[in-house]
Amino acid sequence: MESRVLLRATANVVGVPRLRRPIGAIHRQFSTASSSSFSVKAIGGLGEGGNLISGRQLRPILLLDSSINGGGGEKREILKPVKAAAAEGGDTAGQAKVGFLAKYPWLVTGFFFFMWYFLNVIFNILNKKIYNYFPYPYFVSVIHLFVGVVYCLISWSVGLPKRAPIDANLLKVLIPVAVCHALGHVTSNVSFAAVAVSFTHTIKALEPFFNAAASQFIMGQSIPITLWLSLAPVVLGVAMASLTELSFNWLGFISAMISNISFTYRSIFSKKAMTDMDSTNVYAYISIIALFVCIPPAIIVEGPKLLNHGFADAIAKVGMTKFITDLFWVGMFYHLYNQLATNTLERVAPLTHAVGNVLKRVFVIGFSIVIFGNKISTQTGIGTGIAIAGVAMYSIIKAKIEEEKRQGKKA
């Protein structure tokens, strides 16, 4: 029965002659022939797609390497089943698609960097515009996290990405990270609302200094002298910029410094909370916990003012529609730029990401000065440049040290 199916299948293929002798006769001829006269082989097995007719696996059929008509040395083609051929065609198409991405990986990486910078700049500009007519940073910080949490919940509901399960032990280690994240986020926004965006980012350039100090004096890690020396220009530059900053006030300065300390402790707790969970899910859980941390202070500090006149004043200035859409989009930009920063780090080496992070701060400072027309003194401009250069040196040296450590562990 199986042989008859094979014969009918080959007979229907154009250009393939119908076998004139029964299969059984051919088999008997093979069995009586001298083993030295012919070499025989079986058509590929199931894994190779051979002997498949209408989705069924047939018994192997022996075919001669040379033609049955007399050994003229002419090779005989083996008919491949339609299903197998189709599968191979699909594989070829898939390989072509993957091959394009593998051939031009810099396009994908460049896109990630572009979107990271673009979303960060847009977030900072829109965030400051909101504070110009709605100066309530605690409430706006809650909106940032709330929009991001809703985005994460919707993404989980459609399986992009699939939600990773969380247990009590993982929750216990993520809570300190989320608390520091919430405190750093709120104090950053208090500074953004109080002073110029460029000045806040100049102060936040001191974050590597706090990271190094915490690593040395809290975690007991030895920091090379080269790293400490690279931080000297950062401290000097921030001091120069602060002394002549036209928008300077102590609330903005102290809030930015508290933000630096908070994010430093976030880094410390993050190292202790190492998990196999992917970064997207980890950031989602941190955002959810941070949201619950931020809500009580917002209600206590700004709640009465918002109910009395805060919302009404903002709506009177820009209208209900613009007020709501501004809050929505600033929350989306905040969540997406943070997520893209994490995704970009996964695609490039630490050194590349460190340099990219420094350039990102330069872009934000530059665009904020242009968009808002902030006037800065010559000393502030020089101090900002020195601080950014120091951060660049620190980031490059630190990334090289970490890379050497990884290479040593592999060896």
Side-chain angles (χ1 to χ4, degrees):
M1 176 60 185
E2 292 162 342
S3 298
R4 288 197 297 272
V5 174
L6 179 59
L7 286 173
R8 284 198 300 271
T10 56
N12 293 329
V13 180
V14 178
V16 179
R18 182 187 296 275
L19 297 176
R20 297 182 180 275
R21 299 171 61 188
I23 295 297
I26 297 175
H27 285 180
R28 287 193 297 273
Q29 179 179 344
F30 291 162
S31 62
T32 57
S34 171
S35 60
S36 61
S37 300
F38 306 102
S39 62
V40 297
K41 66 179 181 179
I43 298 177
L46 179 63
E48 302 171 351
N51 300 341
L52 289 174
I53 300 296
S54 300
R56 296 178 57 192
Q57 170 72 6
L58 304 182
R59 291 191 297 269
I61 301 298
L62 296 177
L63 294 180
L64 292 175
D65 276 346
S66 58
S67 174
I68 294 177
N69 291 330
E74 182 181 355
K75 297 294 182 183
R76 181 170 178 175
E77 294 183 358
I78 297 175
L79 180 63
K80 291 186 177 180
V82 176
K83 286 189 176 182
E88 290 182 4
D91 291 342
T92 303
Q95 290 173 358
K97 184 177 180 180
V98 174
F100 176 81
L101 296 178
K103 188 176 181 180
Y104 303 104
W106 58 271
L107 286 176
V108 181
T109 303
F111 174 77
F112 271 82
F113 269 101
F114 170 77
M115 291 304 298
W116 176 24
Y117 285 18
F118 173 77
L119 292 174
N120 193 281
V121 169
I122 296 299
F123 162 75
N124 279 276
I125 292 173
L126 181 57
N127 203 45
K128 185 61 178 179
K129 286 185 175 181
I130 290 174
Y131 288 136
N132 287 340
Y133 69 83
F134 187 68
Y136 297 95
Y138 286 83
F139 178 79
V140 174
S141 298
V142 170
I143 294 298
H144 292 165
L145 294 169
F146 176 77
V147 174
V149 167
V150 172
Y151 176 88
C152 292
L153 294 177
I154 294 175
S155 299
W156 278 342
S157 66
V158 298
L160 295 173
K162 184 178 179 181
R163 187 183 71 84
I166 187 171
D167 55 23
N169 292 329
L170 182 57
L171 183 63
K172 187 182 299 183
V173 297
L174 286 182
I175 286 177
V177 180
V179 170
C180 292
H181 178 73
L183 180 59
H185 179 54
V186 170
T187 50
S188 291
N189 279 280
V190 171
S191 181
F192 284 136
V195 297
V197 174
S198 57
F199 182 54
T200 299
H201 278 280
T202 301
I203 301 171
K204 287 175 70 64
L206 278 173
E207 188 174 328
F209 173 81
F210 289 97
N211 284 333
S215 299
Q216 178 85 52
F217 302 111
I218 297 177
M219 301 185 68
Q221 298 176 357
S222 178
I223 302 299
I225 187 63
T226 52
L227 275 182
W228 284 115
L229 291 176
S230 67
L231 288 170
V234 180
V235 177
L236 175 63
V238 171
M240 288 179 60
S242 300
L243 288 175
T244 55
E245 171 59 38
L246 300 179
S247 67
F248 179 89
N249 65 56
W250 284 107
L251 176 63
F253 179 82
I254 294 174
S255 297
M257 294 294 282
I258 294 175
S259 173
N260 285 334
I261 297 172
S262 300
F263 287 137
T264 295
Y265 275 95
R266 183 186 65 178
S267 298
I268 294 174
F269 288 122
S270 295
K271 293 177 181 178
K272 296 180 179 180
M274 296 299 290
T275 174
D276 293 333
M277 188 184 296
D278 63 281
S279 59
T280 302
N281 275 289
V282 169
Y283 184 67
Y285 282 120
I286 289 175
S287 297
I288 293 172
I289 300 171
L291 174 61
F292 286 103
V293 174
C294 289
I295 290 176
I299 295 175
I300 295 171
V301 176
E302 296 176 345
K305 296 179 182 178
L306 290 171
L307 294 177
N308 289 336
H309 57 82
F311 291 126
D313 291 347
I315 294 171
K317 291 177 182 178
V318 299
M320 175 70 78
T321 302
K322 179 174 174 55
F323 179 52
I324 293 176
T325 54
D326 280 354
L327 291 177
F328 169 76
W329 282 115
V330 78
M332 283 296 297
F333 290 139
Y334 171 76
H335 180 83
L336 291 177
Y337 100 73
N338 276 286
Q339 189 59 63
L340 272 172
T342 303
N343 294 340
T344 305
L345 176 60
E346 294 176 344
R347 295 189 60 87
V348 299
L351 176 59
T352 305
H353 191 270
V355 174
N357 199 34
V358 173
L359 293 177
K360 182 259 308 182
R361 199 174 296 279
V362 173
F363 269 83
V364 172
I365 291 174
F367 273 99
S368 66
I369 292 174
V370 172
I371 296 297
F372 295 108
N374 296 332
K375 295 181 179 180
I376 60 173
S377 66
T378 302
Q379 181 174 323
T380 298
I382 295 174
T384 301
I386 293 174
I388 295 298
V391 172
M393 286 191 296
Y394 170 85
S395 300
I396 293 173
I397 295 172
K398 184 179 179 182
K400 287 183 176 180
I401 292 174
E402 291 178 351
E403 183 64 26
E404 290 174 358
K405 288 181 180 179
R406 279 191 294 272
Q407 295 296 333
K409 290 181 179 179
K410 290 181 181 180

